[in-house]
Amino acid sequence: MMRRGPGLVGMAARTAVVAGTATAVSGRVARRQHRKYADQDAEYAQQVYGEPQAAPPPQQYAPPPPAPAEPAEPDYMAELEQLSQLRNAGVITQEEFDAKKKQILGI
């Protein structure tokens, strides 16, 4: 029997790449928004106080890292629907679908 696609491991790797890319893009967007709002705050302060404010002195220490976020509850139905679409598209076999379904549902 010949495989028609990358298989379950290949799909997991592809998903990891997509998730990593999304994380990098969202971080860039967050930094850009932070700079944008900081610039707006500086413009507002200049309008209110009339002259530019001196920059605060650099911090002597690094701020503590943010607390880790609670892991989100996995969306089993979405995962099963995605697997079903992969099976229907011929990317994974019925056996691979059944094995992953059992893993997701903890059977």
Side-chain angles (χ1 to χ4, degrees):
M1 180 164 87
M2 293 184 61
R3 291 191 127 164
R4 289 185 268 170
L8 195 55
V9 174
M11 288 306 298
R14 182 179 300 158
T15 302
V17 168
V18 169
T21 302
T23 301
V25 169
S26 69
R28 181 169 183 245
V29 168
R31 286 189 300 275
R32 179 181 285 167
Q33 286 178 342
H34 178 73
R35 283 193 304 267
K36 174 183 169 186
Y37 293 129
D39 291 345
Q40 287 177 352
D41 288 345
E43 288 177 20
Y44 175 75
Q46 184 176 8
Q47 289 174 359
V48 171
Y49 300 114
E51 55 186 65
Q53 300 295 313
Q59 292 183 347
Q60 298 292 331
Y61 56 90
E70 291 285 325
E73 183 69 27
D75 188 5
Y76 299 119
M77 288 302 295
E79 288 184 54
L80 290 174
E81 288 174 6
Q82 184 181 17
L83 282 173
S84 176
Q85 290 172 357
L86 292 173
R87 180 194 59 201
N88 293 341
V91 176
I92 62 173
T93 65
Q94 181 66 38
E95 293 79 23
E96 290 172 325
F97 173 81
D98 292 337
K100 187 64 177 174
K101 179 177 143 184
K102 287 179 182 179
Q103 179 186 3
I104 290 172
L105 297 177
I107 298 175

